């Protein structure tokens, strides 16, 4: 796996709107067949086409409803907090389905996906008609609930009128602690002085912390308070009946709700991929037919993360044409100066192959073509580990052994950066050449970057290898990041040192120490 893949999927995840869509983007699946990869890529390409045309799809920030559906299927009564997200998901699905089916001619593959959205609209209407904006059950949810709430309001009004009259009554006025009434256990009471406790004015429900006040339910209010209690019980019973009925509807629609939620997640991931592709200038490219020899023919290839970093200036990112496999060479040996773009190019090639298999648009021209690879095997970057007691060379070597073992069969793309660097130059060069020749005997395609002259020479005498070098602007002492295919790249070490002011005496001695073959090869390349 290429290290930049994690960063790319992180960018993709950030472009998604729903938790389910983000999960799909984070653990981005790879297609199991070329046909599946083509189908995914077609969906992303159609969505990107609409985005580029200025069409904005409806939001796909669907809530998670799986826990609510599971609870409903277990006959656990759902409340507003669980039911309203179900209605929201249905509304999002309905809007998404309408949008993509309206554009079915321009986006036929996405329309196929949208047809899998099966939101139970009647259930959504029921939920919407059951709850108000605060999540309370509406009076209109049932005739019985409306009747009970109206009666409660009437009886409560009568109770308040009675207790307000009692506050002014000469029987209660002398023993009132204060001129107000309150509720204790949902019953109207008056705050009386503790001395009134034995006067038989009503039922004592509570006392203050100081003990100076008792809260008494006047005898005249017992009947009204009792009726209010009964009404509250009946309201709760009717409310639960309503919630049970809606919960049962959710359970019945469980299969459709799960399928809709799953499809919305996939659609969210596809639209996220389209948004990202617009940012890096991605295109749908050809994926080789099954059974064909895997090949790479990438035109105007760019690194997608570099294109995203440049934003509006993404066109300024240098693009390159890379061809490998088919009737041509199967191993590309890329050489050239340090910081000349070799590693970036290699990562771009690997990402292109992996993105195609994941159904993502590739940062290359539409005329590009890529094989369907079983795996992209890479050894890039510093493998040194202090805790693991590994040197840089040992770390790379361990990874390389695993790559060589995995590339014995199947269609694999192997990427080896600075093969066998970090050890004795002569022995490292010999190991590098032996490794490259072993790869050439296998069905894999490979890109190898190197400074070893022995690897550069392979492309001149073995048709399985092709040479390429990264261009360097010697006048300005800076890389152009352009790939020149057909000849190895120069290291420019002596030239750069001379331009930077190193003495001629040191340079002459360095050329003597480098040996005639190395200097002669640099001269031939130049």
């Amino acid at each position: 796996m290429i290290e930049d893949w994690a960063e790319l999927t992180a960018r993709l995840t950030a472009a998604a709107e729903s938790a389910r869509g983000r999960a799909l983007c984070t653990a981005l699946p790879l297609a199991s067949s070329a046909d599946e990869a083509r189908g995914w890529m077609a969906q992303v390409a159609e969505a990107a086409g609409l985005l580029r045309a200025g069409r904005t799809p409806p939001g796909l920030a669907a809530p998670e409803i799986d826990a609510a559906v599971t609870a409903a299927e277990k006959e656990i009564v759902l409340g507003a907090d669980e039911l309203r997200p179900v209605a929201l998901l249905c509304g999002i699905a309905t809007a998404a389905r309408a949008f993509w089916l309206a554009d079915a001619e321009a986006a036929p593959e996405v329309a196929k996906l949208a047809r899998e959205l099966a939101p139970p609209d009647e259930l959504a209407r029921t939920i919407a008609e059951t709850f108000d904006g605060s999540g309370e059950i509406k009076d209109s949810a049932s005739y019985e609930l409306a009747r009970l709430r109206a009666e409660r309001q009437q009886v409560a009004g009568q109770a308040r009128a009675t207790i307000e009259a009692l506050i002014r009554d000469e029987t209660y006025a002398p023993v009132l602690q204060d001129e107000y009434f309150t509720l204790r256990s949902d019953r109207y009471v008056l705050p009386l002085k503790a001395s009134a406790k034995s006067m038989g004015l009503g039922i004592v429900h509570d006392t203050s912390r100081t003990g100076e006040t008792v809260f008494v339910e006047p005898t005249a209010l017992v009947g009204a308070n009792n009726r209010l209690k009964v009404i509250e019980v009946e309201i709760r019973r009717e409310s639960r009946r309503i919630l049970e009925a809606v919960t049962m509807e959710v359970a019945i629609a469980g299969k459709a709700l799960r399928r809709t939620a799953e499809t919305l997640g996939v659609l969210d991931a596809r639209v996220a991929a389209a948004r990202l592709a617009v940012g890096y200038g991605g295109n749908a490219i050809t994926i080789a037919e099954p059974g064909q020899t895997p090949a790479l023919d990438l035109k105007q290839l760019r690194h997608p993360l570099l294109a995203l970093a440049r934003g509006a200036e993404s066109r300024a990112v240098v693009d390159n044409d890379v061809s490998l496999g088919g009737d041509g060479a199967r191993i590309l040996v890329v050489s050239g100066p340090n910081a000349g773009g070799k590693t970036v190019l290699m990562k771009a090639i690997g990402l292109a192959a992996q993105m195609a298999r994941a159904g993502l648009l590739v940062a290359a021209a539409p005329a590009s073509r890529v094989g369907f690879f079983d795996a992209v095997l890479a050894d890039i970057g510093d493998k040194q580990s202090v805790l693991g007691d590994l040197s840089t060379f040992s770390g790379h070597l361990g990874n390389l052994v695993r790559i060589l073992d995995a590339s014995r069969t199947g269609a694999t793309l192997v990427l080896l950066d600075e093969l066998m660097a970090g050890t004795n130059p002569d022995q490292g060069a010999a190991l590098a050449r032996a490794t490259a020749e072993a790869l050439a005997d296998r069905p894999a395609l490979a890109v190898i970057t190197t400074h070893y002259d022995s690897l550069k020479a392979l492309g001149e005498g073995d048709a399985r290898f092709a040479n390429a070098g990264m261009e360097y602007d010697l006048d300005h002492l800076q890389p152009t990041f352009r790939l020149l295919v057909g000849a190895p790249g120069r290291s420019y070490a002596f030239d750069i040192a001379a331009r930077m002011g190193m003495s001629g005496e040191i340079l002459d001695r360095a050329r003597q120490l480098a040996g005639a073959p190395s200097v002669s090869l640099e001269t031939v390349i130049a």
Side-chain angles (χ1 to χ4, degrees):
M1 187 72 74
I2 307 162
E3 57 188 8
D4 289 9
W5 184 251
E7 176 62 24
L8 185 68
T9 54
R11 297 289 189 93
L12 181 61
T13 300
E17 297 180 281
S18 66
R20 194 178 291 256
R22 287 190 290 271
L24 283 172
C25 293
T26 299
L28 192 63
L30 301 179
S32 57
S33 69
D35 281 338
E36 188 175 43
R38 289 190 204 99
W40 295 352
M41 185 180 286
Q43 291 172 348
V44 177
E46 290 171 359
L50 288 181
L51 290 173
R52 285 166 175 150
R55 296 292 310 280
T56 303
L60 293 168
E64 287 296 297
I65 52 98
D66 193 62
V69 174
T70 299
E73 291 170 339
K74 293 179 179 178
E75 299 184 358
I76 299 172
V77 180
L78 305 179
D81 290 343
E82 295 86 16
L83 289 170
R84 290 203 294 177
V86 172
L88 176 59
L89 178 131
C90 292
I92 290 171
T94 299
R97 180 183 170 92
F99 176 87
W100 292 107
L101 293 187
D103 277 304
E105 187 173 339
E109 294 302 317
V110 186
K112 286 181 186 177
L113 183 61
R115 288 189 182 95
E116 296 179 18
L117 294 170
D121 293 329
E122 185 60 37
L123 171 61
R125 279 192 292 272
T126 298
I127 295 173
E129 292 169 358
T130 298
F131 300 101
D132 61 19
S134 65
E136 291 294 321
I137 299 176
K138 295 179 181 178
D139 289 351
S140 57
S142 80
Y143 171 80
E144 179 64 9
L145 183 64
R147 185 192 68 77
L148 287 169
R149 284 178 173 174
E151 183 182 357
R152 179 179 62 184
Q153 185 175 1
Q154 179 185 5
V155 174
Q158 293 171 351
R160 283 193 298 273
T162 299
I163 202 167
E164 285 171 356
L166 291 175
I167 290 173
R168 297 185 297 272
D169 187 271
E170 60 183 14
T171 303
Y172 289 91
V175 292
L176 274 174
Q177 192 69 269
D178 205 346
E179 292 186 4
Y180 71 89
F181 65 87
T182 186
L183 291 170
R184 285 294 185 274
S185 302
D186 295 326
R187 303 179 76 89
Y188 288 98
V189 295
L190 287 173
L192 303 182
K193 295 175 182 178
S195 58
K197 188 167 22 176
S198 60
M199 293 176 63
L201 297 176
I203 302 169
V204 177
H205 284 277
D206 198 3
T207 61
S208 65
R209 283 185 297 177
T210 62
E212 295 180 358
T213 303
V214 292
F215 296 93
V216 175
E217 177 186 0
T219 304
L221 277 176
V222 171
N225 278 335
N226 286 344
R227 181 56 191 153
L228 283 174
K229 273 285 189 181
V230 172
I231 292 173
E232 287 296 340
V233 170
E234 291 176 346
I235 286 175
R236 285 196 294 273
R237 184 183 297 121
E238 178 63 11
S239 297
R240 183 175 178 83
R241 186 197 66 77
I242 293 168
L243 293 178
E244 286 175 345
V246 181
T247 298
M248 184 177 295
E249 289 189 43
V250 172
I252 293 170
K255 186 176 180 180
L257 285 168
R258 284 198 176 92
R259 183 170 69 251
T260 296
E262 183 178 347
T263 302
L264 279 175
V266 173
L267 185 58
D268 186 23
R270 297 287 185 271
V271 174
R275 289 194 189 99
L276 201 68
V278 170
Y280 61 72
N283 292 294
I285 65 172
T286 300
I287 300 176
E289 291 293 331
Q292 291 183 348
T293 302
L296 284 168
D297 186 15
L298 299 168
K299 302 181 185 303
Q300 299 176 15
L301 174 68
R302 290 162 295 122
H303 194 297
L305 293 178
L306 188 57
L308 285 171
R310 295 290 179 87
E313 300 176 1
S314 62
R315 292 183 181 180
V317 177
V318 176
D319 58 68
N320 285 294
D321 296 345
V322 181
S323 183
L324 196 61
D327 296 329
R330 294 179 31 254
I331 298 182
L332 183 66
V333 179
V334 183
S335 50
N338 291 323
K342 298 189 298 295
T343 303
V344 172
L345 174 69
M346 174 180 282
K347 290 179 177 180
I349 294 170
L351 285 174
Q354 195 129 321
M355 290 168 74
R357 185 171 170 186
L360 302 180
L361 303 190
V362 178
S368 299
R369 182 173 177 272
V370 67
F372 186 80
F373 292 96
D374 296 334
V376 177
L377 308 173
D379 183 68
I380 302 172
D382 189 357
K383 304 297 179 185
Q384 186 171 5
S385 171
V386 174
L387 295 178
D389 194 25
L390 290 176
S391 68
T392 299
F393 177 70
S394 299
H396 280 288
L397 198 59
N399 195 36
L400 183 59
V401 169
R402 290 187 289 272
I403 289 173
L404 289 171
D405 186 59
S407 64
R408 291 181 184 277
T409 58
T412 56
L413 175 62
V414 177
L415 309 173
L416 303 177
D417 191 28
E418 301 294 350
L419 178 60
M420 296 299 177
T423 188
N424 177 281
D426 293 333
Q427 295 178 13
L431 278 170
R433 177 161 183 162
T435 301
E437 290 174 347
L439 277 172
D441 290 332
R442 299 178 182 186
L445 299 184
V447 179
I448 300 173
T449 67
T450 187
H451 286 287
Y452 289 136
D453 291 345
S454 59
L455 283 185
K456 297 177 186 180
L458 277 173
E460 303 305 315
D462 191 332
R464 299 173 301 175
F465 293 86
N467 267 323
M470 302 305 296
E471 185 182 55
Y472 193 82
D473 183 350
L474 199 55
D475 292 332
H476 297 91
L477 291 179
Q478 62 184 20
T480 67
F481 305 112
R482 295 196 179 281
L483 182 70
L484 303 178
V485 180
R490 297 175 61 196
S491 66
Y492 293 98
F494 296 143
D495 304 86
I496 295 172
R499 290 297 182 94
M500 297 300 292
M502 186 165 283
S503 72
E505 181 181 353
I506 293 176
L507 289 171
D508 289 341
R509 178 59 177 155
R511 290 188 179 95
Q512 290 176 2
L513 292 173
S518 178
V519 175
S520 297
L521 180 60
E522 287 281 306
T523 304
V524 170
I525 295 171

